[in-house]
């Protein structure tokens, strides 16, 4: 049995906004997220614009992205913290007869520890045929660092540094 965690598209959008994620309209496919004792069940509905934009894809990017974002709600309260995808051990995509409509997300048997966790994601069409499967998708907590802290650390470096507007690279000539 599953109970609604995010009952409609607006609730999903609000939950993403609480994490400071802004999802472009072409990628807004998740219509609900339901919590079960051993996982999350997602439902999808693709917009006509999304179907047209990604008509030549085996599995729509919006359908792939939705579960990757929602996976963090398996371990955390909605809006608690942002978890980002770090790695995927296995990925399989199959041509389905219909568009994907559901995703099942559950904790993976292999867990990395620390402030990270792994999930398995199965994406299915309306008939239950598997469209895509991710094994051991690992998510890690996002670390936000103030720009002043980054600048202070750069100033402490003994090596000369090359600055670009958004990155700092240590000099390569040693």
């Amino acid at each position: 049995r599953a109970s609604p965690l995010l009952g409609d598209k607006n609730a999903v959008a609000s939950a993403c906004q609480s994490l400071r994620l802004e999802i472009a309209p072409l990628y807004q496919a998740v219509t609900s997220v339901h919590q079960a004792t051993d996982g999350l069940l997602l439902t999808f509905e693709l917009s006509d614009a999304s179907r047209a934009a990604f008509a030549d894809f085996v599995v729509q990017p919006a359908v792939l992205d939705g579960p990757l974002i929602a996976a963090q709600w398996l371990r955390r309260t909605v809006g608690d913290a942002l978890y980002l995808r770090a790695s995927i051990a296995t990925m399989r995509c199959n041509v389905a007869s219909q568009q994907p409509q559901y995703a099942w997300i559950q904790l993976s048997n292999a867990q990395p520890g620390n402030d990270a966790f792994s999930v398995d994601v199965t994406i299915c069409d309306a008939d239950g045929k598997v469209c895509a499967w991710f094994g051991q998708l690992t998510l890690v907590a996002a670390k936000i660092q103030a720009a002043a802290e980054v600048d202070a650390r750069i100033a402490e470096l003994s090596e000369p540094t090359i600055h670009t507007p958004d990155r700092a690279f240590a000099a390569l000539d040693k």
Side-chain angles (χ1 to χ4, degrees):
R1 293 180 64 144
S3 58
L5 180 64
L6 302 169
D8 60 26
K9 222 172 185 170
N10 292 333
V12 172
S14 293
C16 289
Q17 287 173 352
S18 73
L19 294 170
R20 297 188 179 123
L21 290 176
E22 194 171 319
I23 311 299
L26 285 179
Y27 294 90
Q28 294 174 357
V30 177
T31 55
S32 67
V33 179
H34 299 269
Q35 177 80 52
T37 55
D38 55 348
L40 296 176
L41 176 67
L42 278 65
T43 59
F44 302 110
E45 185 179 317
L46 293 168
S47 67
D48 291 338
S50 184
R51 280 195 192 104
F54 304 113
D56 56 340
F57 283 65
V58 173
V59 179
Q60 295 273 344
V63 170
L64 295 176
D65 201 42
L68 300 183
I69 292 169
Q72 64 189 308
W73 296 319
L74 189 58
R75 288 255 326 250
R76 301 289 184 196
T77 308
V78 172
D80 184 30
L82 176 61
Y83 278 75
L84 301 173
R85 305 173 285 273
S87 66
I88 297 173
T90 307
M91 182 173 116
R92 296 184 188 123
C93 290
N94 304 312
V95 178
S97 59
Q98 297 178 22
Q99 287 294 324
Q101 286 196 302
Y102 304 101
W104 176 250
I105 305 168
Q106 61 188 11
L107 286 175
S108 178
N109 290 332
Q111 290 299 315
N114 294 333
D115 204 13
F117 65 98
S118 292
V119 298
D120 296 328
V121 178
T122 306
I123 300 172
C124 301
D125 67 12
D127 296 329
K129 294 178 189 167
V130 175
C131 303
W133 180 80
F134 301 99
Q136 294 179 6
L137 165 67
T138 300
L139 296 104
V140 295
K143 305 282 190 233
I144 299 173
Q145 194 171 17
E149 292 174 25
V150 173
D151 289 341
R153 213 173 79 209
I154 291 170
E156 292 173 9
L157 294 174
S158 60
E159 297 285 325
T161 304
I162 302 165
H163 291 277
T164 60
D166 64 343
R167 291 187 168 79
F169 300 92
L172 299 176
D173 50 301
K174 286 191 175 188

